[in-house]
C-alpha cells in the first residue's frame, strides 16, 4: 500500500524528517506516536503534498506509484486522505456542496458516474447520523464556526464519504472529550476494511484504546526510533518519551521495546 | 490611452463607413455646441432638452477630470472621440456565428449562454438572428396592462416629456462631475422606467427585453421613477461579454423612489478588461445615484463588476425621506492589470434613515482594487444608522487592495459601524480543498464564490447563477 524509504524533509530550510522509513500493508492500522516536534504532523502534510514541505531525499510509493510526483488533488484521487489536525474554515461555502463537489471530482477523475444532489444528501445524512452529527452542519459553511468536536466529526464524515484507500488521521483525538472520542473512533472503526489502511498520528495512548492499531511506531527527532505492538503505546503512556531519548540508537530502542 | 491608440480606434471607425456629409448619421470627432445640437436634432428632442444638454456642456468646459481616485488613468483626448455614430449597417455585421471570433464563442459556452442569445451578443446581423421578438412582445403587453412604462430614453422624451422633464437631472445635476456633465451633454440613449402608484412590477425589468437596446452607445442614460408604494427590480448588463468598440464609457443612472416605493437595481458588468498584459480594455466612468425622496422609500444597489480596464463607480443613495433606507452590495474583481475604484455614498438626511454597505473586493494578478465609501449624516437625521462591511481578498502577491472609508456625522444620535478585513486567499484553504480532490482552479473559484455569497444572495436567482459562472471564467489563470 505505502512504502516510505529514508525520507528526508525540510521546512523553511530546517530538516524535520531525517531518514524516515515506514511500510504499511493493505488493511493495516499503524499508529505513529512521539513527542512534540518529532515530525508527526510533517509526515501527514508531506504525504498529502502540502507546499513548503520539501523532500530532499528518499522516496514514497503509494500503490506502486511515485507519490511525490503527484499534486495534492491527484493524491486524493489516487485514494489518499488526510484528516486535518486543524480543519480549515471556508466561509460562504456550503458544507454539503463542498463535499459533493469533491466526491464527484474524484469520481469523474476515476471514470465513475457522478452522484446527484439527492443521492448525495441521502448518503451524507446517513453517515452524519452514524457520527452523531447534527444534519444542520451539512448546510452550514465548511467548518465555519464549528466547535472543535464538530470539525473533527466533519473530517471523519468526509473520510466516510470519500472512501479512501489510505487515511492519515492527524491528531484526530485532540480537542475531543471522552464521548466525542468514542463516537469518532467508532466512525473510524466502521471504515476498517481489508483493502483500507490507516496511519493514526497521535500524542496520547487513549485514542488507541478505541482504535486498536496493528503496529505502533515511535517517531522522535525525525526518525522512527521504535516499532512494536500495542504494548509499546502502553509503555509510552506510563513512562513518557524520556526513556527513548536516553537510548542512543534506534536499534537499542527497539530492543527495549520488545 | 495614447493618441496613437485613439487614432487607431478612430481610423478603424472610418473603415466602417464615416462620411463627410453632415446630413448622414455620423459626426466627425470633436465636441462643440454644434455637435450637441446635431445629436439633439437627430433624436428629435424638444427645445428644453437641447438647452439642458448645452447647459451641461458649458459646465463641462469648466471642469477637469477627477484625479482623487486611486487609478492610473491615461490622458483622454475628448476632441478625438466621435460623439455620434449611426448604428452599424446590417450588412457590415457578421452574418452568422461562423464569422465570430471562436474565443468569444468559447466564453459563451463556459457561461452557459443560450444559443439564440449568442448571436445577438456577438453582434450578428438581426435578420440572421433567431430573435425572441415574440417573448418581448408578450412582455410588453403584460407591462402595459399594469401601466408600467418601460422604453428607450429617446422614446420617453417624445411620449412622456412631462415625466422626463420633471425628473431628469434631479438626482445627478448637469454640473455634478466631469463625466456626468459630459454624459448630460452628449448621451445618445438609454432606458426609461416609470412604475405607477401602488404597482408592483410583475417581472424583473431587464435591458435584454427592451427592443432596440443594442447600440445605446458609450454615453448611456437611465432614469427610473417608482411612484408612491410601487416596486421594481431592474437588471442591467449581461454576464456575457458584449462586442463593443468604444473605449470610453460614461453612463449616468438616476433612480427616484417616492413614498413607500422600492427600487432594486442589479448590475453585472463584464466589459472587455484588456488583455493579460493590460493592453486595451474599456474605461468605465459611471455616475449612479438614487434619491429616496419619500418617507419609507427603499433603494438597493447590487453590483458585480468583473470587466473594464478601469472602473470608477459609486452607486449612491440620498436618504431624504424619513425612515428611508439604502443598500449597496458589491463584488468587484480585478485581474491582470485591471483597476477599480468603486464604492458608494450614503447621504442620511431624513430621520431614522438606515443604510447598509457590503463590499467584497477581489484582486488577482496585478489588479488594483479600491473601496471608497462615504457615510454622511446630516444634522436633522436623528437616529440614522449605517453598517458597513468591507472585505478584500488577495490572490497572489502582485495585486493590491485599498480601503478609503469616509464618515461625516453632524448628528450625535447617529450610529455608524464600519468593519473591514483584508485576507489573502489562504494557502491552507487551498490545500484543504485540494486534499479533497479539487483541482486548484475549482478550489479558488469555490473559495471566492463563498467570499462573495452575501452579495450573490441579493441578486435575482438566475443572475446569481450567471454571476458565479462569470467569476470563475474571470479568474481563470489567477493562480499557479
Amino acid at each position: 500500500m505505502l512504502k516510505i524509504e529514508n525520507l528526508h524533509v525540510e521546512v523553511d530550510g530546517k530538516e524535520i524528517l531525517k531518514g524516515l522509513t515506514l511500510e504499511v500493508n493493505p488493511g493495516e492500522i499503524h499508529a505513529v506516536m512521539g513527542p512534540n516536534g518529532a515530525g508527526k504532523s510533517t509526515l501527514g502534510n508531506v504525504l498529502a503534498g502540502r507546499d513548503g514541505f520539501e523532500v530532499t531525499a528518499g522516496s514514497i510509493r503509494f500503490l506502486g506509484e511515485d507519490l511525490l510526483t503527484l499534486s495534492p488533488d491527484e493524491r486524493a484521487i489516487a485514494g489518499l486522505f488526510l484528516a486535518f489536525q486543524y480543519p480549515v474554515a471556508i466561509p460562504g461555502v456550503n458544507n454539503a456542496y463542498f463535499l459533493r463537489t469533491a466526491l464527484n471530482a474524484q469520481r469523474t477523475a476515476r471514470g465513475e458516474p457522478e452522484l446527484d444532489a439527492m443521492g448525495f444528501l441521502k448518503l451524507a445524512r446517513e453517515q452524519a447520523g452514524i457520527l452523531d452529527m447534527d444534519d444542520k452542519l451539512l448546510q452550514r459553511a465548511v467548518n465555519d464556526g464549528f466547535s472543535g468536536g464538530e470539525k473533527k466529526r466533519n473530517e471523519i464524515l468526509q473520510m466516510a464519504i470519500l472512501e479512501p484507500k489510505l487515511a492519515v488521521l492527524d491528531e484526530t483525538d485532540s480537542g475531543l472529550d471522552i464521548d466525542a472520542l468514542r463516537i469518532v473512533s467508532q466512525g473510524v472503526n466502521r471504515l476498517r476494511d481489508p483493502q483500507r489502511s490507516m496511519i493514526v498520528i497521535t500524542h496520547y495512548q487513549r485514542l488507541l484504546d478505541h482504535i486498536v492499531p496493528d503496529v505502533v511506531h515511535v517517531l522522535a527527532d525525525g526518525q522512527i526510533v521504535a516499532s512494536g505492538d500495542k504494548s509499546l503505546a502502553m509503555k509510552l503512556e506510563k513512562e513518557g518519551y524520556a526513556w527513548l531519548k536516553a537510548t542512543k540508537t534506534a536499534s537499542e530502542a527497539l530492543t527495549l521495546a520488545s | 490611452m495614447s493618441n496613437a491608440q485613439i487614432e487607431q480606434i478612430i481610423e478603424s471607425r472610418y473603415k466602417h463607413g464615416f462620411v463627410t456629409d453632415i446630413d448622414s448619421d455620423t459626426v466627425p470627432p470633436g465636441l462643440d455646441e454644434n455637435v450637441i445640437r446635431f445629436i439633439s436634432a437627430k433624436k428629435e428632442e424638444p427645445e428644453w432638452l437641447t438647452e439642458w444638454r448645452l447647459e451641461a456642456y458649458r459646465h463641462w468646459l469648466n471642469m477637469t477630470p477627477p484625479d482623487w481616485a486611486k487609478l492610473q488613468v491615461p490622458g483622454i483626448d475628448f476632441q478625438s472621440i466621435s460623439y455620434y455614430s449611426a448604428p452599424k449597417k446590417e450588412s457590415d455585421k457578421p452574418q452568422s456565428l461562423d464569422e465570430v471570433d471562436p474565443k468569444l464563442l468559447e466564453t459563451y459556452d463556459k457561461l452557459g449562454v443560450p444559443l439564440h442569445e449568442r448571436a445577438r451578443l456577438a453582434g450578428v446581423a438581426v435578420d440572421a438572428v433567431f430573435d425572441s421578438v415574440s417573448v418581448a412582445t408578450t412582455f410588453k403587453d403584460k407591462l402595459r396592462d399594469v401601466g408600467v412604462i418601460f422604453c428607450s430614453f429617446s422614446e420617453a422624451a417624445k411620449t412622456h416629456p412631462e415625466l422626463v422633464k420633471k425628473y431628469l437631472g434631479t438626482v445627478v445635476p448637469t454640473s455634478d462631475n466631469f463625466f456626468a456633465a459630459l454624459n448630460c451633454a452628449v448621451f445618445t440613449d438609454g432606458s426609461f422606467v416609470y412604475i405607477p402608484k401602488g404597482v408592483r412590477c410583475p417581472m424583473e425589468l431587464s435591458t435584454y427585453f427592451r427592443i432596440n437596446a443594442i447600440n445605446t452607445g458609450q454615453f448611456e442614460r437611465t432614469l427610473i421613477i417608482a411612484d408612491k408604494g410601487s416596486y421594481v427590480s431592474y437588471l442591467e448588463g449581461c454576464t456575457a461579454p458584449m462586442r463593443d468598440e468604444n473605449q470610453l464609457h460614461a453612463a449616468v443612472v438616476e433612480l427616484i423612489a417616492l413614498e413607500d416605493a422600492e427600487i432594486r437595481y442589479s448590475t453585472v458588468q463584464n466589459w472587455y478588461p484588456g488583455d493579460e498584459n493590460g493592453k486595451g480594455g474599456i474605461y468605465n466612468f459611471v455616475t449612479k445615484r438614487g434619491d429616496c425622496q419619500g418617507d419609507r422609500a427603499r433603494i438597493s444597489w447590487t453590483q458585480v463588476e468583473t470587466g473594464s480596464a478601469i472602473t470608477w463607480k459609486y452607486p449612491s443613495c440620498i436618504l431624504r425621506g424619513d425612515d428611508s433606507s439604502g443598500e449597496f452590495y458589491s463584488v468587484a474583481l480585478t485581474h491582470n492589470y485591471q483597476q477599480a475604484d468603486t464604492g458608494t455614498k450614503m447621504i442620511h438626511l431624513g430621520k431614522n434613515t438606515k443604510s447598509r454597505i457590503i463590499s467584497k473586493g477581489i484582486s488577482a494578478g496585478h489588479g488594483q482594487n479600491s473601496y471608497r465609501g462615504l457615510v454622511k449624516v446630516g444634522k436633522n437625521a436623528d437616529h440614522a444608522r449605517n453598517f458597513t462591511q468591507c472585505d478584500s481578498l488577495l490572490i497572489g502577491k502582485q495585486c493590491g487592495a485599498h480601503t478609503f472609508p469616509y464618515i461625516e456625522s453632524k448628528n450625535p444620535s447617529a450610529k455608524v459601524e464600519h468593519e473591514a478585513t483584508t485576507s489573502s486567499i489562504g494557502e491552507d484553504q487551498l490545500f484543504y480543498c485540494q486534499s479533497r480532490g479539487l483541482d486548484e482552479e475549482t478550489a479558488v473559484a469555490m473559495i471566492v464564490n463563498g467570499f462573495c455569497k452575501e452579495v450573490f444572495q441579493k441578486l435575482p436567482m438566475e443572475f446569481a447563477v450567471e454571476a458565479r459562472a462569470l467569476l470563475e471564467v474571470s479568474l481563470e489563470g489567477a493562480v499557479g
Side-chain angles (χ1 to χ4, degrees):
Chain A
M1 176 74 71
L2 180 75
K3 197 167 184 184
I4 304 174
E5 278 184 300
N6 188 34
L7 187 69
H8 290 257
V9 176
E10 283 185 5
V11 180
D12 294 330
K14 188 169 175 268
E15 188 165 59
I16 307 291
L17 295 183
K18 303 168 182 173
L20 183 141
T21 295
L22 177 68
E23 187 167 355
V24 179
N25 295 313
E28 288 180 354
I29 294 193
H30 287 234
V32 174
M33 303 184 71
N36 288 330
K40 297 194 301 291
S41 284
T42 298
L43 177 62
N45 281 314
V46 84
L47 282 171
R50 188 172 202 140
D51 266 356
F53 291 78
E54 202 195 334
V55 176
T56 52
S59 67
I60 307 178
R61 298 197 75 80
F62 176 55
L63 297 165
E65 257 189 289
D66 180 358
L67 189 72
L68 296 175
T69 61
L70 303 180
S71 63
D73 46 313
E74 288 167 340
R75 294 178 195 206
I77 287 158
L80 188 104
F81 180 87
L82 172 66
F84 282 57
Q85 181 179 3
Y86 303 109
V88 181
I90 312 175
V93 176
N94 178 283
N95 200 22
Y97 174 75
F98 170 76
L99 189 47
R100 182 162 65 91
T101 310
L103 176 65
N104 283 335
Q106 295 201 15
R107 284 184 168 224
T108 305
R110 290 194 289 253
E112 298 162 15
E114 292 197 355
L115 199 60
D116 64 26
M118 292 303 287
F120 174 80
L121 212 58
K122 188 166 172 283
L123 173 69
R125 286 209 176 114
E126 196 179 289
Q127 293 295 336
I130 289 165
L131 289 164
D132 199 18
M133 192 173 148
D134 193 337
D135 269 8
K136 285 185 193 121
L137 291 180
L138 291 171
Q139 299 310 331
R140 293 207 355 222
V142 181
N143 294 321
D144 198 18
F146 285 25
S147 71
E150 287 169 340
K151 283 183 187 170
K152 294 301 174 77
R153 279 174 217 217
N154 200 34
E155 293 292 289
I156 303 306
L157 173 74
Q158 293 179 4
M159 173 175 154
I161 285 171
L162 296 173
E163 301 186 299
K165 296 193 176 77
L166 173 68
V168 181
L169 309 181
D170 189 3
E171 307 223 4
T172 296
D173 51 333
S174 68
L176 289 186
D177 62 37
I178 198 75
D179 290 332
L181 183 68
R182 186 172 44 78
I183 292 160
V184 166
S185 302
Q186 279 169 2
V188 172
N189 284 331
R190 284 188 66 258
L191 298 169
R192 286 186 92 143
D193 184 291
Q195 299 309 315
R196 179 174 294 131
S197 311
M198 295 187 199
I199 297 175
V200 181
I201 296 170
T202 181
H203 201 73
Y204 300 104
Q205 190 269 339
R206 63 169 194 169
L207 177 66
L208 305 180
D209 287 340
H210 298 278
I211 304 172
V212 181
D214 298 298
V215 189
V216 176
H217 305 278
V218 179
L219 181 61
D221 196 25
Q223 286 182 316
I224 302 282
V225 294
S227 300
D229 60 14
K230 195 172 175 289
S231 62
L232 176 59
M234 310 287 266
K235 185 176 167 72
L236 286 172
E237 182 79 358
K238 217 161 78 192
E239 301 180 19
Y241 291 104
W243 62 275
L244 281 166
K245 287 181 183 152
T247 64
K248 287 207 173 62
T249 65
S251 60
E252 269 180 75
L254 273 175
T255 321
L256 276 168
S258 57
Chain B
M1 186 161 60
S2 72
N3 283 343
Q5 274 174 296
I6 294 177
E7 271 164 34
Q8 212 185 332
I9 291 167
I10 307 289
E11 222 157 282
S12 66
R13 275 222 209 117
Y14 272 113
K15 270 187 226 150
H16 293 300
F18 261 84
V19 274
T20 44
D21 182 359
I22 197 82
D23 285 337
S24 80
D25 283 341
T26 327
V27 288
L31 186 55
D32 57 27
E33 296 204 358
N34 286 332
V35 169
I36 291 162
R37 285 181 207 281
F38 171 83
I39 295 170
S40 194
K42 273 278 160 203
K43 299 263 150 204
E44 298 165 17
E45 286 174 354
E47 183 59 25
W48 69 265
L49 193 47
T50 315
E51 283 309 316
W52 188 80
R53 285 176 180 271
L54 289 169
E55 179 197 312
Y57 173 70
R58 287 166 201 146
H59 282 301
W60 180 75
L61 284 177
N62 293 318
M63 297 169 106
T64 48
D67 59 358
W68 39 262
K70 195 171 167 54
L71 299 171
Q72 304 273 343
V73 185
I76 301 169
D77 180 357
F78 293 92
Q79 292 303 332
S80 61
I81 294 170
S82 170
Y83 289 88
Y84 187 88
S85 57
K88 258 190 171 181
K89 281 196 201 117
E90 297 296 308
S91 57
D92 288 341
K93 294 178 178 176
Q95 296 301 305
S96 78
L97 278 175
D98 298 340
E99 292 171 37
V100 173
D101 182 2
K103 257 184 148 173
L104 192 63
L105 296 178
E106 199 182 304
T107 311
Y108 291 168
D109 204 36
K110 282 179 190 157
L111 290 169
V113 176
L115 275 172
H116 64 275
E117 281 183 38
R118 293 183 193 188
R120 187 185 66 88
L121 292 166
V124 171
V126 173
D127 53 6
V129 176
F130 243 72
D131 214 354
S132 50
V133 173
S134 56
V135 179
T137 311
T138 328
F139 181 82
K140 284 214 149 186
D141 288 346
K142 252 185 159 171
L143 289 180
R144 198 175 302 119
D145 287 348
V146 290
V148 169
I149 303 167
F150 179 34
C151 60
S152 75
F153 193 92
S154 311
E155 200 182 323
K158 283 181 213 144
T159 53
H160 302 281
E162 73 298 342
L163 284 172
V164 174
K165 193 171 181 183
K166 185 171 176 191
Y167 290 107
L168 181 67
T170 57
V171 190
V172 180
T174 51
S175 56
D176 191 78
N177 69 70
F178 183 84
F179 291 106
L182 179 63
N183 175 288
C184 293
V186 302
F187 73 88
T188 35
D189 216 331
S191 301
F192 177 84
V193 176
Y194 172 78
I195 314 290
K197 267 179 209 166
V199 169
R200 193 179 167 86
C201 188
M203 64 217 15
E204 316 263 358
L205 295 185
S206 149
T207 40
Y208 173 68
F209 284 111
R210 205 193 63 224
I211 304 174
N212 72 24
I214 311 161
N215 282 310
T216 45
Q218 56 195 125
F219 302 101
E220 194 171 348
R221 187 92 201 181
T222 303
L223 179 57
I224 299 177
I225 302 139
D227 212 325
K228 290 179 184 171
S230 69
Y231 166 86
V232 63
S233 166
Y234 186 88
L235 315 181
E236 173 202 52
C238 184
T239 51
M242 291 270 253
R243 240 171 67 108
D244 199 315
E245 283 150 13
N246 300 308
Q247 183 150 30
L248 173 70
H249 280 246
V252 171
V253 176
E254 295 180 282
L255 310 183
I256 294 127
L258 301 183
E259 225 171 85
D260 293 302
E262 179 174 4
I263 303 176
R264 311 190 71 87
Y265 192 104
S266 311
T267 308
V268 171
Q269 186 266 116
N270 185 27
W271 280 328
Y272 183 54
D275 67 13
E276 57 278 14
N277 300 312
K279 202 166 167 283
I282 302 250
Y283 302 163
N284 192 22
F285 296 87
V286 191
T287 305
K288 291 185 169 179
R289 201 172 298 152
D291 189 355
C292 286
Q293 282 193 4
D295 292 349
R296 296 169 302 278
R298 294 192 296 277
I299 288 178
S300 171
W301 298 99
T302 305
Q303 61 171 17
V304 177
E305 303 277 321
T306 64
S308 297
I310 299 175
T311 300
W312 179 95
K313 184 181 173 189
Y314 316 90
S316 303
C317 296
I318 301 166
L319 305 171
R320 204 184 298 277
D322 290 346
D323 301 292
S324 62
S325 76
E327 292 176 321
F328 174 74
Y329 297 94
S330 168
V331 167
L333 178 144
T334 53
H335 188 195
N336 295 324
Y337 286 86
Q338 282 177 271
Q339 311 174 59
D341 194 300
T342 183
T344 184
K345 287 188 274 188
M346 293 291 175
I347 315 291
H348 292 258
L349 300 176
K351 292 180 180 40
N352 303 314
T353 45
K354 284 197 292 287
S355 64
R356 183 177 170 83
I357 300 169
I358 307 286
S359 163
K360 305 278 181 176
I362 302 153
S363 318
H366 292 82
Q368 293 292 328
N369 209 324
S370 302
Y371 166 80
R372 189 180 302 276
L374 168 67
V375 177
K376 195 170 178 172
V377 181
K379 60 178 190 300
N380 297 324
D382 294 340
H383 309 293
R385 293 197 59 172
N386 161 266
F387 174 77
T388 300
Q389 186 186 326
C390 169
D391 300 321
S392 307
L393 188 68
L394 302 168
I395 304 172
K397 300 213 183 322
Q398 267 109 34
C399 55
H402 318 274
T403 306
F404 304 98
Y406 304 89
I407 296 171
E408 294 170 21
S409 179
K410 290 188 180 137
N411 187 306
S413 67
K415 225 171 148 183
V416 177
E417 290 174 72
H418 180 92
E419 285 177 14
T421 65
T422 301
S423 54
S424 291
I425 197 157
E427 183 267 332
D428 51 347
Q429 286 180 331
L430 213 51
F431 175 62
Y432 189 72
C433 294
Q434 285 181 279
S435 76
R436 298 306 180 241
L438 301 175
D439 61 46
E440 201 169 28
E441 231 158 55
T442 309
V444 168
M446 196 179 256
I447 294 166
V448 171
N449 270 314
F451 176 75
C452 299
K453 191 180 179 188
E454 271 175 284
V455 175
F456 287 172
Q457 279 174 336
K458 295 291 166 184
L459 289 170
M461 181 69 162
E462 280 172 46
F463 233 32
V465 173
E466 286 179 30
R468 285 180 69 121
L470 174 61
L471 217 57
E472 283 167 29
V473 172
S474 306
L475 275 169
E476 271 179 9
V479 286

